């Protein structure tokens, strides 16, 4: 639940698409002599075993992104075949019955999926590079080389480090346990980060001879610009790299340069703090500096911070059910899905608000439509703020539908539920209800993966997911079979008792 919430959130935020460059147009693939190997289940293993480095594309003939990639992939294969040693590109039609198992053992869940197989297929990594021919060639040339490159001059250092996260190991010699552990971590993380190693710390930006070797220096184009680390245990080093490459405050705007960090932000395990403000707001600078100060103070408290431009945040606003008029606002989401909100925030309130959160003095924020004043249709309207009263505290038998306004199956079901409700109107111990699950938070007791989802809560509080047929009679039979005598009638819901 918490996990899927996380994925939903960042996909809502990051609606950007892969752009394939037009450089394929000047290249005509010769059908007779494709540079891309065609593999299937019969010869996959033997081919992979022959090549220390091979890239495999799993595709499906009907997939549009695969078709766009095809000429680029072909051109890259032809260029890379001249590389010494050759870099081999292959493809597998994952739609073919006999190849399906091959695809599933390689964890293919969408098309196209590209995998880099090294060491006779014993080491498999996801391809995380660009999708145009030149980009593919550049990325794979680097991937086929050593995981960490030796830095021998300061020009090299400047060229390599550039405007990205870059990790350098500084050693007194290129051997020993520290160096081996560093190389192993570089191998493991090479598709996500760039690595280098050197004997001479003076060659590095901000370098000096006083650096105590061995040390790992992580360069980043944000925050303190570089940070040193001297623990060479494999897991600790890996953890350090992951943590240090997330900015203290992740910036979220329309600039795609920031998007990899935004993804990292949502993928990490911390609770997330998001501040949304118009970046053109006259008070932006004072918000920004106060926010950075707070983030710095709390960075060891399992909190991650994001500063978002209202213009880029429409997806997030919809997801949380917020309005632009509430900005500047700050919202905190825990991994269990619990949220806290402060709308119409002032810069001076950031620190106090967070202190109150840490001290446990804030009440969670629940996305809810207003409780309806009149609720006199046969099917009762439930909202997040009335759900517990109606479903759990009314002492009645409740059949509750979670729906989405845009869902076709829900629209078909609506007149059926109306009829069920009318038929059961004389049963004071039965409530037929519905909740718009896109406009209201669904409490953790329910698992709503698709629409419509129906639950039945008996008078005694037994909760069942409804998985029966969808005719009027099916619902009536189910309700009559599962309902229990109404509980103590002194407990009932204020929000609906008048209508019953
Ligand atoms: C693998 O086998 C398929 C036919 O089953 C063939 O079309 C393809 O060329 C073979 N690939 C290699 C590299 O031998
Ligand atoms: C290298 O990593 C292994 C596994 O984490 C660890 O046992 C070993 O102590 C590390 N070596 C050094 C010098 O830190």
């Amino acid at each position: 639940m918490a996990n899927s919430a996380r994925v939903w959130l960042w996909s809502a935020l990051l609606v950007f698409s892969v752009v394939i460059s037009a450089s394929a147009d000047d290249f005509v693939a010769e059908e007779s002599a494709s540079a891309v190997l065609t593999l299937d289940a019969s010869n996959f293993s033997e081919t992979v075993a022959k090549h220390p480095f091979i890239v495999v594309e799993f595709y499906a003939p009907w997939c549009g992104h695969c078709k766009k990639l095809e000429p680029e992939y072909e051109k890259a294969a032809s260029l890379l075949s001249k590389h010494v040693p050759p870099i081999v590109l292959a493809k597998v039609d994952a739609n073919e019955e006999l190849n399906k198992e091959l695809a599933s053992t390689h964890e293919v869940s969408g098309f196209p999926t590209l995998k880099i197989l090294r060491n006779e297929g014993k080491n498999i990594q996801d391809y995380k590079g660009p999708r145009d021919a030149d980009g593919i060639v550049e990325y794979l040339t680097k991937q086929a080389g050593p995981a960490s490159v030796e830095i021998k001059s300061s020009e090299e250092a400047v060229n390599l480090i550039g405007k990205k996260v870059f990790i350098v190991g500084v050693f007194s010699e290129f051997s020993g346990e520290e160096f081996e552990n560093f190389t192993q971590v570089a191998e493991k993380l090479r598709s996500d980060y760039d690595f280098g190693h050197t004997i001479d710390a003076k060659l590095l930006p901000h370098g000096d001879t006083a650096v105590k070797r061995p040390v790992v220096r992580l360069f980043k184009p944000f925050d303190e610009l570089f940070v040193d680390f001297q623990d060479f245990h494999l897991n600790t080093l890996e953890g350090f790299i992951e943590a240090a490459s997330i900015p203290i405050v992740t910036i979220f705007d329309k600039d795609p340069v920031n998007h990899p960090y935004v993804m990292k932000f949502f993928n990490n395990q911390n609770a997330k703090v998001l501040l949304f403000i118009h970046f053109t707001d006259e008070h932006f600078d004072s918000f920004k500096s106060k926010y950075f100060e707070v983030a710095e103070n709390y960075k060891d408290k399992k909190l991650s911070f994001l500063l978002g431009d209202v213009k880029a945040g429409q997806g997030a606003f919809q997801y949380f059910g917020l309005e632009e008029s509430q900005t500047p606002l700050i919202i905190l989401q825990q991994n269990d899905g619990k949220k806290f909100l402060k709308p119409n925030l002032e810069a001076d309130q950031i620190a106090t608000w967070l202190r109150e959160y840490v001290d446990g003095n804030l009440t969670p924020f629940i996305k809810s439509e207003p409780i309806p004043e009149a609720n006199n249709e046969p099917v009762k309207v439930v909202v997040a703020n009335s759900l517990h009263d109606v479903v759990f505290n009314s002492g009645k038998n409740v059949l509750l539908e979670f729906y989405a306004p845009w869902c076709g199956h829900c629209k078909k079901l609506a007149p059926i539920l109306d009829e069920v409700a009318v038929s059961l109107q004389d049963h004071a111990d039965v409530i037929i209800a519905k909740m718009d699950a896109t406009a209201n938070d669904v409490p953790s007791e329910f698992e709503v993966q698709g629409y419509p989802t129906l639950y039945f809560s008996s008078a005694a509080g037994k909760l069942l997911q409804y998985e029966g047929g969808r005719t009027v009679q099916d619902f009536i039979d189910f309700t009559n079979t599962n309902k229990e005598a109404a509980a103590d009638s002194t407990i009932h819901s204020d929000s609906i008792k008048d209508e019953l």
Side-chain angles (χ1 to χ4, degrees):
M1 185 72 206
N3 226 346
S4 67
R6 213 157 47 224
V7 173
W8 268 101
L9 174 52
W10 70 254
S11 48
L13 284 176
L14 293 176
V15 190
F16 59 86
S17 53
V18 181
V19 180
I20 307 273
S21 86
S23 66
D25 296 347
D26 49 41
F27 179 81
V28 182
E30 286 164 44
E31 271 197 27
S32 50
S34 169
V36 176
L37 293 184
T38 304
L39 301 182
D40 62 20
S42 74
N43 51 25
F44 186 86
S45 311
E46 67 180 90
T47 312
V48 167
K50 266 189 237 156
H51 301 280
F53 185 98
I54 180 168
V55 183
V56 181
E57 180 208 2
F58 292 90
Y59 72 98
W62 43 260
C63 136
H65 285 297
C66 306
K67 285 190 192 117
K68 271 197 223 161
L69 176 63
E70 196 179 333
E72 301 291 331
Y73 197 62
E74 182 66 51
K75 183 181 176 190
S78 156
L79 292 168
L80 287 168
S81 65
K82 297 180 192 92
H83 186 270
V84 190
I87 293 174
V88 181
L89 270 53
K91 62 178 179 183
V92 170
D93 180 351
N95 204 44
E96 281 281 330
E97 204 51 47
L98 82 161
N99 296 335
K100 283 196 170 145
E101 198 183 322
L102 194 60
S104 84
T105 56
H106 286 81
E107 292 168 3
V108 173
S109 57
F111 300 118
T113 293
L114 283 82
K115 299 276 175 178
I116 298 174
L117 291 83
R118 290 188 174 85
N119 195 9
E120 306 185 350
K122 288 192 202 84
N123 176 339
I124 304 177
Q125 266 171 352
D126 287 328
Y127 175 94
K128 294 184 183 165
R131 301 225 177 144
D132 63 284
D134 293 340
I136 295 170
V137 169
E138 191 190 329
Y139 180 83
L140 288 178
T141 308
K142 201 154 91 196
Q143 291 296 319
S148 174
V149 291
E150 188 185 346
I151 297 173
K152 296 190 212 105
S153 70
S154 38
E155 291 78 54
E156 261 177 3
V158 169
N159 285 338
L160 282 170
I161 292 167
K163 272 185 80 74
K164 56 179 185 286
V165 171
F166 193 95
I167 300 133
V168 186
V170 186
F171 301 96
S172 41
E173 53 179 356
F174 296 148
S175 61
E177 225 182 290
E178 284 91 355
F179 180 70
E180 271 157 29
N181 281 6
F182 176 79
T183 309
Q184 216 170 311
V185 170
E187 278 295 346
K188 181 160 179 205
L189 302 182
R190 64 178 301 163
S191 58
D192 294 304
Y193 305 96
D194 294 309
F195 292 85
H197 55 275
T198 189
I199 300 234
D200 192 351
K202 270 205 315 303
L203 304 177
L204 305 176
H206 324 282
D208 53 68
T209 38
V211 169
K212 203 168 162 295
R213 297 173 296 185
V215 66
V216 174
R217 178 162 288 190
L218 184 144
F219 293 93
K220 43 181 159 179
F222 47 78
D223 299 345
E224 71 271 56
L225 301 179
F226 76 91
V227 46
D228 288 346
F229 194 68
Q230 289 197 295
D231 187 335
F232 284 83
H233 287 78
L234 294 174
N235 289 339
T236 344
L237 184 54
E238 195 180 326
F240 158 75
I241 292 170
E242 300 283 4
S245 56
I246 299 174
I248 292 176
V249 172
T250 299
I251 302 293
F252 176 48
D253 53 14
K254 300 232 157 169
D255 187 350
V257 169
N258 291 322
H259 289 173
Y261 303 111
V262 176
M263 261 193 243
K264 269 181 184 300
F265 172 86
F266 285 109
N267 280 331
N268 87 62
Q269 297 300 313
N270 287 347
K272 314 213 163 36
V273 188
L274 301 93
L275 193 160
F276 280 103
I277 182 173
H278 279 286
F279 281 12
T280 48
D281 189 296
E282 53 175 328
H283 302 296
F284 176 68
D285 287 336
S286 76
F287 269 92
K288 188 175 171 184
S289 68
K290 288 271 189 323
Y291 195 52
F292 268 77
E293 219 173 89
V294 168
E296 181 70 44
N297 289 340
Y298 286 92
K299 72 176 172 193
D300 301 324
K301 295 266 191 316
K302 301 239 169 274
L303 292 171
S304 294
F305 292 81
L306 178 139
L307 180 61
D309 188 0
V310 175
K311 275 214 188 81
Q314 300 308 327
F317 282 25
Q318 250 171 34
Y319 173 85
F320 288 119
L322 302 169
E323 304 283 336
E324 214 177 302
S325 62
Q326 295 174 295
T327 62
L329 63 83
I330 191 167
I331 187 156
L332 188 152
Q333 187 176 34
Q334 296 180 173
N335 266 347
D336 61 4
K338 236 186 224 163
K339 301 185 289 269
F340 301 85
L341 170 75
K342 170 87 184 145
N344 308 113
L345 178 78
E346 284 167 31
D348 287 336
Q349 298 172 326
I350 299 172
T352 14
W353 187 79
L354 221 35
R355 160 84 14 234
E356 302 229 317
Y357 165 74
V358 172
D359 291 345
N361 293 334
L362 296 182
T363 319
F365 154 73
I366 293 167
K367 176 167 82 172
S368 177
E369 293 177 296
I371 297 176
E373 306 232 327
N375 205 351
N376 38 25
E377 293 299 316
V379 176
K380 302 301 166 198
V381 173
V382 168
V383 299
N385 284 336
S386 65
L387 186 141
H388 272 88
D389 281 345
V390 177
V391 177
F392 298 123
N393 301 335
S394 64
K396 299 191 197 283
N397 300 283
V398 184
L399 179 70
L400 174 63
E401 180 208 11
F402 294 97
Y403 72 96
W406 42 259
C407 139
H409 288 295
C410 307
K411 283 184 191 133
K412 260 195 227 149
L413 189 59
I416 296 171
L417 285 185
D418 275 341
E419 227 182 300
V420 174
V422 170
S423 308
L424 295 174
Q425 227 157 12
D426 296 336
H427 298 250
D429 56 347
V430 175
I431 300 173
I432 310 296
K434 61 179 179 182
M435 181 166 107
D436 178 349
T438 66
N440 294 280
D441 281 337
V442 176
S444 54
E445 290 91 339
F446 304 92
E447 200 160 318
V448 177
Q449 303 272 356
Y451 304 114
T453 295
L454 291 117
Y455 272 89
F456 182 83
S457 170
S458 75
K462 197 173 71 194
L463 194 61
L464 294 172
Q465 183 156 3
Y466 180 87
E467 281 163 332
R470 299 224 175 132
T471 67
V472 173
Q473 202 52 48
D474 289 332
F475 285 112
I476 293 177
D477 290 347
F478 178 89
T479 306
N480 286 331
T481 310
N482 289 286
K483 73 176 187 167
E484 289 161 346
D488 186 343
S489 62
T490 55
I491 316 166
H492 45 210
S493 153
D494 284 342
S495 42
I496 53 165
K497 64 175 178 188
D498 297 344
E499 286 77 39
L500 286 171

